[in-house]
Amino acid sequence: MTSIAQAVSCIDGYDPDALRVDSAGAAIRACLTPVAEVETVAVREALGRVLAQEIIPPIDVPGHDNSAMDGWAVRISDLHSSGTHLLEIGKALAGKPFQGAVAPGECVRVMTGAVMPQGTDTVVVQEVCRSEAERITIPAGQKAGQNVRAAGEDLKAGVAVLHPGHPVRSADLGLIASLGIAEVQVRRRLRVAFFSTGDELSSIGAPLAPGQIYDSNRYTLHGMLSGMGVEIFDMGVVRDDPQKLEAAFTVAAAQADAIITTGGVSVGEADFVKQLMGRLGEVLFWKIAMRPGRPMAFGKISNGGNSAFLFGLPGNPVAVMVTFHQFVRDALLVLGGRTDAVAVPLLQAVSAAAIRKVAGRTEYQRGVLFEENGVRKVRVTGQQGSGVLRSMSEANCYIVLEHERGKVEAGELVNVQLLAALP
Ligand code: AMP
Ligand code: MG
């Protein structure tokens, strides 16, 4: 097995003390191996899971050529350029086919979804026809095969339609159900353990001693992880105490696929956590050229035959969300077996005001996207400090200011990422 250090050494421009956002993402990706275990679940339970098999239709969908409209099923070879009279010999509804064959000069009344009667190939919509008892007048100008849905036009028997690595969404549930398939194989859910570190942290329900704050990061993480459909182990607050931290890491490493910690990786604190993590596995400490979220640890620690990827996020509440959204989300999707493109798309918007920014780091400012006179615009939510969680609550997007970019003038285009696309 390649080590973390080996895997990241091939990343272009890898420098742990000045790591670009794109290089950090690439470094993490280079180390990940998706979970391999598969389980079989009933169709509905597959929602949000990652498919672990090909879905190969056992039948054509639709199973027969059928009418796409209400009207009359005709033989195109009967129709004249000047209009045609045909004899209606019966009726076909969805689920109630016409028994028998249609001869020249005849037609059948059909409703949407009705199987095309034998001998017919074209449907003329009722709105353009005239009917007097069984005598149907068809106007000129009909095209062969119109208003007919061909057997297998949605799904063809034997031709794989969904592939391993595909996330099962609502449409897929319906698609799988349309094939009569009752159970599917999916990757097992990821197990993610997390805890907050810090002597200053108190938990809800306990009084705040002088200098203490309530732990908010575990709640934010709970929300983001819940949105990703992973199994969650909330391990609480762990004091800045080497023994307690070591105990927490070893418990987490024995059961989780990924461990997320917050706090303790900033310059003032890194040394003792660094030594500790170093003993338990292989962990890299990065200074990422980004704001917020500069310090971050990434690695792998093991215990009792299990190993877990470690994401040591900064302590500041906004930095936790930004680093989760930009790195951890992506990594968890890959670990869970997703093979589709996982990057969150960027939209462009006009900056409503000037934004301070220095070149040499990627910034994720919290923004409000809005429309004015048909133009998509964005403004920053008030104070942008990495501890100001309110800036996240008020935002509906990140304003992503790229590494090389300097100050933004009012009216310039900027990239934004919708928070609605993120967990
Ligand atoms: P640290 O990265 O541990 O130096 O923490 C940076 C800042 O984030 C400090 O002001 C901490 O008090 C704050 N912080 C750390 N962990 C949490 C947490 N779980 N909830 C709220 N604030 C935190
Ligand atoms: Mg701390």
Side-chain angles (χ1 to χ4, degrees), residues 56-72:
I56 301 171
I59 52 171
D60 278 341
V61 177
H64 309 272
D65 292 351
N66 69 90
S67 177
M69 301 294 277
D70 294 346
W72 280 270

Side-chain angles (χ1 to χ4, degrees), residues 327-346:
F327 300 117
V328 183
R329 169 190 168 273
D330 206 81
L332 296 182
L333 291 176
V334 172
L335 283 178
R338 286 275 292 270
T339 50
D340 51 340
V342 290
V344 178
L346 294 168

Side-chain angles (χ1 to χ4, degrees), residues 241-304:
D241 166 328
Q243 275 172 2
K244 295 208 166 96
L245 278 168
E246 176 158 1
F249 277 120
T250 50
V251 168
Q255 58 176 4
D257 303 302
I259 304 168
I260 302 171
T261 64
T262 67
V265 291
S266 53
V267 178
E269 299 184 280
D271 282 353
F272 103 87
V273 183
K274 209 178 209 164
Q275 286 168 10
L276 176 62
M277 289 176 171
R279 269 199 292 118
L280 301 174
E282 197 189 353
V283 181
L284 306 172
F285 287 80
W286 290 337
K287 292 193 184 78
I288 305 180
M290 71 188 288
R291 185 156 134 153
R294 185 159 181 262
M296 189 176 133
F298 170 70
K300 201 172 188 178
I301 60 179
S302 311
N303 184 20

Side-chain angles (χ1 to χ4, degrees), residues 197-198 200 240 263-264 269:
T197 71
E200 75 280 29
D240 291 323
E269 299 184 280

Side-chain angles (χ1 to χ4, degrees), residues 21-147:
V21 166
D22 43 5
S23 304
I28 292 171
R29 244 176 210 244
C31 301
L32 302 174
T33 329
V35 297
E37 295 100 311
V38 165
E39 49 194 54
T40 302
V41 297
V43 178
R44 288 188 184 88
E45 272 68 68
L47 186 64
R49 306 289 297 271
V50 179
L51 208 54
Q53 65 168 107
E54 305 256 17
I55 298 293
I56 301 171
I59 52 171
D60 278 341
V61 177
H64 309 272
D65 292 351
N66 69 90
S67 177
M69 301 294 277
D70 294 346
W72 280 270
V74 304
R75 308 161 61 101
I76 191 73
S77 55
D78 278 349
L79 304 188
H80 315 294
S81 52
S82 53
T84 314
H85 302 299
L86 295 174
L87 176 68
E88 180 188 305
I89 59 163
K91 192 168 170 181
L93 307 175
K96 289 210 169 59
F98 173 75
Q99 308 292 342
V102 178
E106 297 175 344
C107 66
V108 170
R109 178 82 170 118
V110 287
M111 296 297 158
T112 305
V115 172
M116 288 296 285
Q118 197 188 325
T120 66
D121 48 39
T122 299
V123 170
V124 185
V125 296
Q126 59 190 16
E127 288 78 3
V128 303
C129 301
R130 222 176 51 233
S131 66
E132 292 141 295
E134 275 79 56
R135 194 177 130 99
I136 313 301
T137 310
I138 310 283
Q142 311 304 322
K143 287 210 215 54
Q146 71 187 16
N147 303 319

Side-chain angles (χ1 to χ4, degrees), residues 296-334:
M296 189 176 133
F298 170 70
K300 201 172 188 178
I301 60 179
S302 311
N303 184 20
N306 188 62
S307 66
F309 288 99
L310 172 69
F311 300 89
L313 308 185
N316 271 311
V318 181
V320 168
M321 293 199 77
V322 171
T323 49
F324 186 96
H325 283 151
Q326 303 305 327
F327 300 117
V328 183
R329 169 190 168 273
D330 206 81
L332 296 182
L333 291 176
V334 172

